Amino acid sequence: MRGFESDPNEDEASRSMRGLFEEGWPGGGSREPGPLKSPSGSSVSAFIKKPRSAEVTAGSAAVFEAETERAGVKVRWQRDGSDIGAGDKYGLAAEGKRHTLTVRDAGPADQGSYAVIAGSSKVKFDLKVTEAAPPEKAEPEVAPTPEEAPGAPREVPAPATESEGNVPSPEGEGGWAMWDRRRVSQDRSQRPSFSGSVSVTPEGSAPGSQGAPDDPIGLFLMRPQDGEVTVGGSIVFSARVAGASLLKPPAVKWFKGKWVDLSSKVGQHLQLHDSYDRASKVYLFELHITDAQATSAGGYRCEVSTKDKFDSCNFSLTVHEAMGSADLDLRSAFRRTSLAGAGRRTSDSHEDTGTLDFSSLLKKSSFRRDSKLEAPAEEDVWEILRQAPPSEYERIAFQHGVTDLRGMLKRLKGMKHDEKKSTAFQKKLEPAYQVNKGHKIRLTVELADPDAEVKWLKNGQEIQMSGRYIFESIGSKRTLTISQCSLADDAAYQCVVGGEKCSTELFVKEPPVLITRSLEDQLVMVGQRVEFECEVSEEGAQVKWLKDGVELTREETFKYRFKKDGRKHHLIINEATLEDAGHYAVRTSGGQALAELIVQEKKLEVYQSIADLSVGAKDQAVFKCEVSDENVRGVWLKNGKELVPDSRIKVSHIGRVHKLTIDDVTPADEADYSFVPEGFACNLSAKLHFMEVKIDFVPRQEPPKIHLDCPGSTPDTIVVVAGNKLRLDVPISGDPAPTVVWQKVVTQGKKAPAGPPPDASEDAGADEEWVFDKKLLCETEGRVRVETTKDRSVFTVEGAEKEDEGVYTVTVKNPVGEDQVNLTVKVIDVPDAPAAPKISNVGEDCCTVQWEPPAYDGGQPVLGYILERKKKKSYRWMRLNFDLLRELSHEARRMIEGVAYEMRVYAVNAVGMSRPSPASQPFMPIGPPGEPTHLTVEDVSDTTVSLKWRPPERVGAGGLDGYSVEYCQEGCSEWAAALQGLTERTSLLVKDLPTGARLQFRVRAHNVAGPGAPVVTKEPVTVQEILQRPRLQLPRHLRQTIQKKVGEPVNLLIPFQGKPRPQVTWTKEGQPLAGDEVSIRNSPTDTILFIRAARRTHSGTYQVTVRIENMEDKATLVLQIVDKPSPPQDIRITETWGFNVALEWKPPQDDGNTEIWGYTVQKADKKTMEWFTVLEHYRRTHCVVSELIIGNGYYFRVFSHNMVGSSDKATVTKEPVFIPRPGITYEPPRYKALDFSEAPSFTQPLANRSIIAGYNAVLCCAVRGSPKPKISWFKNGLDLGEDARFRMFSKQGVLTLEIRKPCPYDGGVYVCRATNLQGEAQCECRLEVRVPQ
């Protein structure tokens, strides 16, 4: 807080402006965000009526109501972030859209922040509990209105206004009226107490009313009204704007006074809220002032603007002092004591007991005027006040019954304005200054005494000079410059001169933070990572993130992560859910950006389904499946009922694999088993078959028997997934115990996918030859092992592989007999990786991808394929399809033209997904170019056609390789190439065409993607030359004489017309051109005469002729080669008299082939032979040279001039011409030569100096001497002549040494030494360099 000294002459506007930011509204608080609006302008809040903060007395009940947009919405009530449940303390009720919270028997412990939540909308409000005030006997009881319950929370309305007709005004309209005419003077006992929150609304308009009448003039439906509040209370000003006809939300600004923008002062005590009612299409804008202070009073303004409309409204706020119930001491009412925390300081002239405050009387209460206290009529109160010192004002006002002290001071200030002038200041500081953050501000005063000392204070503390604070003194002006203003510079400043001071207020306005790069809408799947990114105009700026209008904070949830990176701000959701969908916004002080997040459910893909199992008793059954999402949970069902795990039945979930393991299988376990993923509509089912062991009671010497469901030689196929464990448990019997032999049938020879079994009959097919061999399996350890007991034999394969597939033979033998069974094992796996795909039909943003099936399908049919692509220089593959591709080709789209891509493919079967195929050859999507433009036929002859065109408008990333030209006969569709290959030029002469044929021509542009669309001539072209009369088109500048200087090149281009091509002939003076110096160049459309270096002999008349058979056209050109003229001839002196000489000469022999423009006449004195021009551009061949000096001899010469220049030489007179002297001869007197030499001496020596570091310094002295002495400067004995930091000047004997930006090192003894032939002299001084403190 900053302090001020009260100025009794300070006007109300300055006091109000100063007090606005002194203690009322610090700008460091947080602002509660209003509901976020969607781009269409509608609010996204779930509430159409929100609960408001309230204040109740202790012991009463507080009721808060909220109304949702639709019925049936689940609503939660919270206090300080914790949910509230119904009980003895809190009552919760819901009826349709209306929801109510009742706080019973409110006490101080119930005070705090409450909130109501519906969906993603959250509204906060406060409850304040005050102690019940003791009743006052003098105050009559006021019956509560029907709308006010005795203990219910209420918003205290502003006092009713009445017209004042019976209170006289001492000075009428222009005087110091005691009260404003809008309210009545009341005694303290009749004034209502203003405590708590005040909501200011116009009469007949409730805060929540929807039927506000339309404003016939402006934009306001309801304008802010004047209000009153006590110190420490709260007040709300509301403005309603019709939004039915607005495409965008209106812009609203709140001001205090004339120019103070309140948006930059938003904080704990000042908040701006806005909302939108979609039902009534009305915008509500509110100004909340909490903990109001006396400085909050004053005039306010609300401005609303749209694209083409503007409206404003003025209103005022009056703040009253809080009054107790005790009787008011009139004298103490005038006393002003130091306000706690306000930082005010009293003046030195005030007494110790406190100062008297005139304005506080009006703020505390209004007094009725007592006729007994009024001054007698014969006394002039104003004269008494004008002559009295300010310390006597309160006594005189009290004696004469003056109660409107503010008006008295205003009138007295106007009366004494001319008399009271500042003795120290001619021009004071302005009442207030405003500057943007980061800019520079200059505070300037003008003093009456230019030599007076000045002090600058900031919040009462003296300011020291630094890099940011610079003091300047220019004459009587004193300036304080503050550079790079920050919020810390927002303070009160004073300029003190002697015992007088002037004050001002500096407001530093922080520029709004703008959003330079907005948010982007995003579409993600459930579980994916979401990151919103925006960029603001200022690094380190504070931003708010909102979801559906509710601010996102770290305290409420740990789901959101906020990140700052310079000017970039990020909102990160690691795993998105369906509840995260909605509108997200980032809000700064300069605007907001909105984006939509759409979250879709991810499709679940089954990479490996569960398969039917056949197991025997006491064996282990394992059902395994693999899905695409490792976070998906599920349940296992047995015959449609949920399976409960126990010690024998185990359920596991590792990554994407779900397993159901059943140990010690019993016949009761035979059933249909299903796996149902949670949240997905799919069901994976398989059947468990129990293989019963048939036990027959046989006597001893029982032949061996294999007890399986498939007796005999018919094979039983057992399917196992590669990598899983294969266990073949074969029950056996026999007495004595049989010997078990396991063998694997190894097939050799021709292999076919569907060949006959090993035991097929010989006539199974003559063309199928099979050779069988049996491999004995007897290992008891390792990956493939056999374990045999008395009643069973177990064949186990750990981690089944493709090589384990085949027919296994189990043979049991004992002395009684033998038994044999064939078991077929089939190992299924994921398919092999397909071969690298092939790319074809590459277009502008698409291509066709083709691939072959994998060499091995894993034992299961291939269900489809998954295609991925990536940029060539990237490592990230992107999936192109979520549904499996059934075909062996796919058209990939949405690629960027000119970027190299690679493709790869996966094969998927019931087991899972194969490894990726090798990447395809890199390819680049490039579209063919567009069609060429402006195809025209330039010329046609009997066998040729000349075409011309322009490049296509669309070239594409592939550039252009060239153009192809084709032609065909009219009415024919077969096009023939006009040239082999492509041409890079945009014109072509098609030769060897049949004369008289009517042909169509077309041109295509080609690039690496192939040919583009052709452009065809509009009409057929007849190959037949058209006879055209020859005609020369002589340019205008060649129709007059052509002048060139000798040595310059000559290039004469003459266009002509004619068909067939005319014959061109050049002649000079009627003779054909001869020699190598003149060359002729002819083309089908023009002829050129070229001379590399022109000579005088090339001048003459040239004639060019174009001829076609007996038709011709001629043109004549005159070429004139010019050069410099020769000098004039025969210069002679015709007469000499006095100071004059008459000259005459003849024109030059060679005029340079052009007109002579004139002559230049020069003279030279015989003694010096320096030539001076006498006449220039002189056109005659005789002249008179005057003003010659008597006794001197002169030579004369003449140059000739033409358009090229003057002649290289001049004609000079052979003999000098003497100007004769008169008869009297003067002999000059002879004088004795005087010696003026003098030794150097200093007429003004150097003086000792003390300077400030950083400012240029100058040392001066004066010296005399003849001849001119040589000057040398020394510092501490060192010569300064070579140091660039020192500059030395000498002018008219005044010597100066300039030291650029000296530092403390430059201090010392400086010596100036002067030396000449007569002697030397020196002087010295001491230089002190001070560093500023």
Side-chain angles (χ1 to χ4, degrees), residues 24-34 53 124-126 234-238 254 262-274 285-291 300 544:
W25 306 313
S30 62
R31 175 182 174 185
E32 181 180 347
S53 300
K124 297 181 180 180
F125 53 93
D126 297 325
S234 302
I235 189 170
V236 178
F237 294 98
S238 301
W254 298 85
L262 297 183
S263 61
S264 61
K265 303 299 178 182
V266 171
Q268 180 180 0
H269 303 288
L270 175 66
Q271 296 182 358
L272 303 178
H273 292 180
D274 58 87
F285 300 93
E286 294 179 338
L287 168 63
H288 292 248
I289 301 175
T290 58
D291 192 15
Y300 292 79
K544 291 183 180 179

Side-chain angles (χ1 to χ4, degrees), residues 506-558:
L506 177 61
F507 299 111
V508 180
K509 184 177 181 181
E510 190 171 6
V513 179
L514 304 178
I515 299 176
T516 58
R517 190 174 69 185
S518 185
L519 301 176
E520 296 182 357
D521 296 339
Q522 296 198 31
L523 173 63
V524 297
M525 296 295 180
V526 173
Q528 288 185 346
R529 184 176 184 269
V530 180
E531 181 172 356
F532 288 102
E533 178 183 343
C534 73
E535 187 173 345
V536 298
S537 59
E538 184 175 344
E539 188 170 346
Q542 294 294 329
V543 303
K544 291 183 180 179
W545 291 92
L546 304 98
K547 178 181 181 291
D548 295 333
V550 180
E551 183 180 358
L552 303 178
T553 60
R554 292 182 177 90
E555 290 77 9
E556 296 179 358
T557 176
F558 294 95

Side-chain angles (χ1 to χ4, degrees), residues 116-183:
V116 57
I117 303 175
S120 59
S121 298
K122 181 176 183 180
V123 179
K124 297 181 180 180
F125 53 93
D126 297 325
L127 172 61
K128 185 176 182 182
V129 181
T130 59
E131 293 296 333
E136 296 184 6
K137 297 179 180 180
E139 289 190 10
E141 292 187 359
V142 180
T145 60
E147 291 80 11
E148 293 181 340
R154 56 190 178 90
E155 295 182 356
V156 182
T161 59
E162 301 177 8
S163 61
E164 179 180 345
N166 55 356
V167 179
S169 174
E171 292 295 328
E173 292 293 334
W176 41 284
M178 181 169 58
W179 288 107
D180 191 287
R181 293 182 180 274
R182 290 174 296 183
R183 52 195 177 92

